[in-house]
Structure formats: structure tokens, C-alpha cells
Amino acid sequence: MNNILTQRNKKIFKTILIIIFIIYIAYLCTNIAVNTEFNTAPDEFMKYDICKYICNHLKLPHGGDKEIMNEMWGISYAFTPILSYIFSGLFMKVATFFTQNEFSLVVAARLISVICITIYAFVCVKISERLFKGVYKWLFIAFVTLLPQLIYLGSYINNDSLAIMSTAIIVYSWIRGLEKDWDCKSCIILGVGIGICALSYYNAYGYILTSIIIYVTSCIIKKIDIKTFLKKGIVITLISLAIAGWWFVRSYIIYDGDFLGLNTSKQYSQMYAIEQLKPTNRATPANENIPLIYMLKNMQWIKISIQSMIGIFGYMNIIMDRKIYILYLLTMGVGIIGISFKWIVASVKKINNKNKEIITKKDIKNKEKILFNIIMVINIIIPIILSLYYSYFSDFQPQGRYIMPIIIPLMYFIVNGLKYIFDKIFKNEKIKNILIIFITIIWSIMPLYISLTYIINNL
């Protein structure tokens, strides 16, 4: 009886901790949203124009509508998916029944980003419960949800927060699908995740591609019969199409076959942008014949991308103290070294045939874990390549928000790497747990300090 009560108390305590954590995430994002001026974040005014249009007209705009088109760039963000702006516009409409204050309407529009990052945090809790045990669950939760730049994305009008939320839903569906042999619930969650992802930001589209790969490959590994494979695949596809298909059909119709809207956006920019910002005249590394390696090193693409993934705020003009970046990079660097050593050691053992289990064990779970790890690596590579391509060929903008879809797989490997190092160095479980809890607390407190010191006080 006492054991049952103890287990129940532990569950209650854990639930309370999770609720407090979710409230904390929502507070961090909301605090910035209500205490920073309008248009102190990247292109917020252009995104707000779309929200305002939807609020005023209760319909979706054409990407080239003069009411939302930027005079300098000759385009608007409405050529590409605007799901988060649709909800922002509707939130603004509801807010107009209570106030006509312009900044209050801005905050109403920003609340969608707050909600997206809060939902993202909740899903990451569910992911952690399936990937890690003990204190490592909380370490992963802190790492994957409390990066300063991520909290900042949850405070202003953007599509990035929706994209990040969709990646969490997709990753959770993968883990559940592999565990449950793609039961109905797993298929529904994956379909929802893909649908939302398709209506978010193109830099997260790698998760759609890898969802197909992991589903097909895992079904082969599990030896799921073709009829079941097709039936479940159709469920995932139909749900995805029901959520996102309408947008691409609409784009195909109004943009003369350009269902992605990218070519039309480029054409409008070429026609209506000011001369120096037309795609053919833009001072991109590609147009100026600058070598890629020069862009990466001399133009500091790598340095700025890494720094801004951790946190550079405003219009990339609010930079934190160098010591803060070192603290984050040191922690993440140790994790990356740890996972690298873990893989190297495993590979050497396999080559030398010292570990028979690694060579001979062909069970499904082992294969699925390898598949999952490969998929996670791919989802680190794709956003980086897309951001690299955009900076080189379209517009030199090494912004961390463009590579933020890597955060779940990156932190998954970093926490595994830290676990590997801690297990090797510390044999005493109490000392190890105290160290992990300490790192978790520091990582959790830092965004509050940073938001007050660098964001709210400067924006």
C-alpha cells in the first residue's frame, strides 16, 4: 500500500513539475511579447501587414496585393504558407471587440507564437519521456526548449515558431510509431505534424521527406504486410492533405501553376523591387562570384549562424556578452565530443569484432534505433544546407532561426553525448545526478536573465 502511495505521489509531483515548466515557458515568451516594441524583430512589420489584412477583410490576400506588398522588396510573405498569420489575424479580430489599441492588437497577433512554442515544449516533454530516463529527461527538456533564441521566436510574429512546433509533433509520432508498430494514433499524429509543417516554413520541409523515409523503412524492418502498409500510409497522407492541401491548390490556381509560390514571388521581386534588391541585381555571394568557403569563413556565415542560433535579438543587432556564448558552446561542445567518441568506439568495436552482440544482434529494435539516429542526422543536415543555399544564392542572412529545425535532433545527440561522458567519468550516481541537475537549473535560469537583460531592456 505504501509503495502504491509512493508511486502515486511521485507521479503527482512529476505532473506538477511539468505544469510549472509549461507555465514558465509560456511566461518567458509572453513577457517578451508584451514588453518589446513593435517591429523590433526581423521583418515583423511585413508579417503584421498580412495579419492586419486578414483581420480587416476576413479573407486571404494574394501575395502581390498592394496592401501588404513591401515597396523595397516588391513582395510579401503571403506568397508562401501563412497559417500562423491566419490565426494571428483571427486573434486580432477577436481582440478588436475589446480594444482598438494598436499595440494590443500586435500582442494578440504575437500570441500565436507564444502558443506554438508552449505546445512545442509540451510535446518535447512527451518526447523526453520516451527517449531518456531519470534526470536526463529533464536535461533534454531544458536543452531542447530553453535556448534563448527559441524563446525569442515565441514572442513575436513569425512562421518559425509554427515550423518548430510541427517538427516536435513529427518527431514524437516517429518515436511512438516505431514503438507501437504505427498504430492508428501514431499515424494520425504524423499526418497532423506533416500537414502543419507543410503550412509553416520551407526550412522545416526536410521532416516531411524523412517522415516518408522512416515510415517506409521501418515498415520494411517490421515486415508489415503491404495491405497494412498502404492503409496506414493512406491515413497519414489523407490527414496531411486535409490540413495543408487546400493551400497548395489555391496557390496553383492563383499563381498560374506555381503551387509553392516561390517562382511567382521571385518574379514579383524582379518586377517591383528597388533596383539593388531585384534578384538579378542583389549583392549575393553567388552574384558577386564569391567562393562558398569565403562566405563561410571570411563573411563569418558559420560564426553568425551559430551565435544567432543561441541568441542574437532584434534585427540581428542585440548581441549577448561573449561569456554567455562560450557557456552555451562549451556545454554543447562537450556533448558533441561525447557522442562522437561513442560512435567512434562503437565503430572500432564493430570493425575489430570485439563485441559480438553488435555484429550478430539483428533484432528489430536495434535496427529501428539505427534508422532513427540516421533520420535525426539528416534533419540536422537539411536545414543547414537550405540556409546555406539561401544565403549564397538569394540573400546573405546567416540567421539562427533558419536552422532552428535542427534543435530536437541536435539536442538529442548532445544529451546522449553528455550521458556517455558522465557515465565514463563519474561512477558515483549521486555526484553524477547532482551535476546534471545543476546544469539543468543553470540552463533553465539563463533565458529569464537573458530576456530581461538583453531583450526587454533593449527592445
Side-chain angles (χ1 to χ4, degrees):
M1 183 68 179
N2 287 334
N3 187 47
I4 294 172
L5 288 173
T6 302
Q7 291 297 323
R8 184 183 294 174
N9 289 339
K10 282 182 179 179
K11 190 173 182 181
I12 292 170
F13 180 69
K14 180 183 170 184
T15 303
I16 292 171
L17 276 180
I18 291 171
I19 292 170
I20 292 171
F21 165 73
I22 297 299
I23 292 171
Y24 179 57
I25 293 288
Y27 164 76
L28 286 173
C29 296
T30 305
N31 192 38
I32 299 172
V34 300
N35 288 297
T36 52
E37 294 181 12
F38 172 63
N39 195 34
T40 51
D43 296 337
E44 189 175 40
F45 74 102
M46 288 181 67
K47 297 160 186 174
Y48 182 65
D49 283 344
I50 299 171
C51 305
K52 198 171 183 179
Y53 181 98
I54 294 168
C55 174
N56 292 337
H57 303 285
L58 289 178
K59 66 176 185 179
L60 303 184
H62 183 285
D65 193 300
K66 290 183 179 180
E67 193 172 332
I68 61 170
M69 196 164 71
N70 181 265
E71 291 181 358
M72 289 183 63
W73 291 94
I75 57 170
S76 76
Y77 280 100
F79 283 110
T80 50
I82 56 171
L83 181 61
S84 63
Y85 308 145
I86 293 172
F87 282 110
S88 289
L90 295 176
F91 269 44
M92 287 173 64
K93 190 65 179 179
V94 172
T96 58
F97 292 113
F98 304 96
T99 180
Q100 294 299 318
N101 179 270
E102 192 66 30
F103 185 71
S104 295
L105 297 182
V106 170
V107 172
R110 287 174 172 178
L111 285 179
I112 295 303
S113 294
V114 175
I115 291 169
C116 285
I117 294 302
T118 304
I119 293 173
Y120 163 81
F122 174 76
V123 178
C124 283
V125 170
K126 306 297 287 183
I127 290 171
S128 73
E129 290 175 346
R130 293 177 181 269
L131 289 180
F132 296 99
K133 295 179 180 179
V135 289
Y136 289 105
K137 288 181 182 179
W138 293 103
L139 185 66
F140 174 76
I141 291 169
F143 273 37
V144 83
T145 61
L146 288 164
L147 207 60
Q149 188 67 41
L150 182 70
I151 297 298
Y152 185 55
L153 286 173
S155 70
Y156 68 91
I157 303 165
N158 62 70
N159 236 356
D160 305 86
S161 53
L162 183 71
I164 293 164
M165 184 192 79
S166 73
T167 64
I169 294 171
I170 289 171
V171 172
Y172 176 69
S173 75
W174 293 346
I175 299 166
R176 197 181 190 286
L178 292 173
E179 288 180 0
K180 304 284 186 179
D181 292 338
W182 295 104
D183 63 347
C184 185
K185 189 174 180 180
S186 301
C187 293
I188 291 170
I189 295 171
L190 179 55
V192 170
I194 291 174
I196 295 172
C197 185
L199 291 179
S200 62
Y201 220 158
Y202 293 142
N203 63 348
Y205 274 23
Y207 282 84
I208 299 176
L209 172 64
T210 48
S211 290
I212 298 169
I213 295 171
I214 197 169
Y215 174 73
V216 173
T217 308
S218 65
C219 284
I220 294 171
I221 292 171
K222 293 173 180 293
K223 296 181 180 179
I224 293 175
D225 65 273
I226 190 68
K227 185 178 178 181
T228 305
F229 165 77
L230 290 174
K231 185 170 68 174
K232 292 181 177 182
I234 289 170
V235 169
I236 296 168
T237 304
L238 289 177
I239 292 172
S240 303
L241 289 175
I243 293 172
W246 65 272
W247 172 266
F248 299 100
V249 171
R250 174 183 179 271
S251 296
Y252 183 87
I253 293 169
I254 67 175
Y255 301 137
D256 298 323
D258 181 19
F259 70 96
L260 291 176
L262 295 174
N263 289 331
T264 309
S265 178
K266 190 174 181 179
Q267 289 169 11
Y268 267 73
S269 184
Q270 186 62 36
M271 289 188 293
Y272 302 114
I274 60 175
E275 284 302 313
Q276 61 265 39
L277 293 181
K278 293 182 186 294
T280 52
N281 299 337
R282 210 172 290 167
T284 63
N287 286 345
E288 296 186 347
N289 294 317
I290 294 173
L292 179 61
I293 191 69
Y294 184 90
M295 184 190 82
L296 295 174
K297 186 178 179 182
N298 297 69
M299 295 176 69
Q300 299 189 321
W301 188 93
I302 295 174
K303 180 184 176 181
I304 298 170
S305 292
I306 293 172
Q307 274 190 320
S308 58
M309 188 187 76
I310 295 169
I312 296 181
F313 315 110
Y315 271 85
M316 295 290 287
N317 61 323
I318 307 297
I319 300 173
M320 297 184 291
D321 188 279
R322 186 168 174 266
K323 292 176 184 177
I324 295 176
Y325 294 108
I326 291 172
L327 177 64
Y328 278 101
L329 288 172
L330 185 63
T331 310
M332 292 190 289
V334 171
I336 291 169
I337 291 169
I339 196 67
S340 299
F341 268 110
K342 184 179 180 180
W343 287 344
I344 291 168
V345 169
S347 298
V348 170
K349 285 182 178 180
K350 187 173 182 179
I351 292 169
N352 294 335
N353 199 22
K354 289 181 180 178
N355 190 335
K356 299 291 183 182
E357 187 180 7
I358 293 176
I359 300 297
T360 60
K361 194 174 181 181
K362 301 294 183 182
D363 60 279
I364 291 172
K365 292 295 177 185
N366 191 48
K367 289 181 180 179
E368 287 177 346
K369 186 175 181 180
I370 293 170
L371 171 64
F372 181 75
N373 286 341
I374 290 171
I375 292 297
M376 294 294 258
V377 169
I378 293 171
N379 281 301
I380 292 175
I381 295 170
I382 291 177
I384 293 173
I385 290 175
L386 290 175
S387 180
L388 199 62
Y389 180 89
Y390 180 76
S391 281
Y392 192 74
F393 290 102
S394 183
D395 185 20
F396 180 73
Q397 290 194 50
Q399 295 190 36
R401 64 193 180 99
Y402 294 142
I403 60 172
M404 198 56 75
I406 75 172
I407 188 168
I408 294 177
L410 178 65
M411 294 308 179
Y412 163 72
F413 289 124
I414 284 174
V415 173
N416 270 298
L418 287 171
K419 182 179 184 303
Y420 179 78
I421 287 180
F422 290 157
D423 287 346
K424 292 293 181 183
I425 296 175
F426 303 102
K427 301 304 177 184
N428 187 305
E429 285 295 318
K430 284 187 178 180
I431 294 175
K432 184 166 58 178
N433 288 344
I434 289 170
L435 179 60
I436 294 165
I437 291 169
F438 175 75
I439 294 171
T440 303
I441 291 171
I442 293 297
W443 198 283
S444 301
I445 293 172
M446 284 299 290
L448 179 60
Y449 165 76
I450 290 167
S451 65
L452 295 174
T453 307
Y454 292 97
I455 304 175
I456 292 173
N457 285 348
N458 290 286
L459 301 176

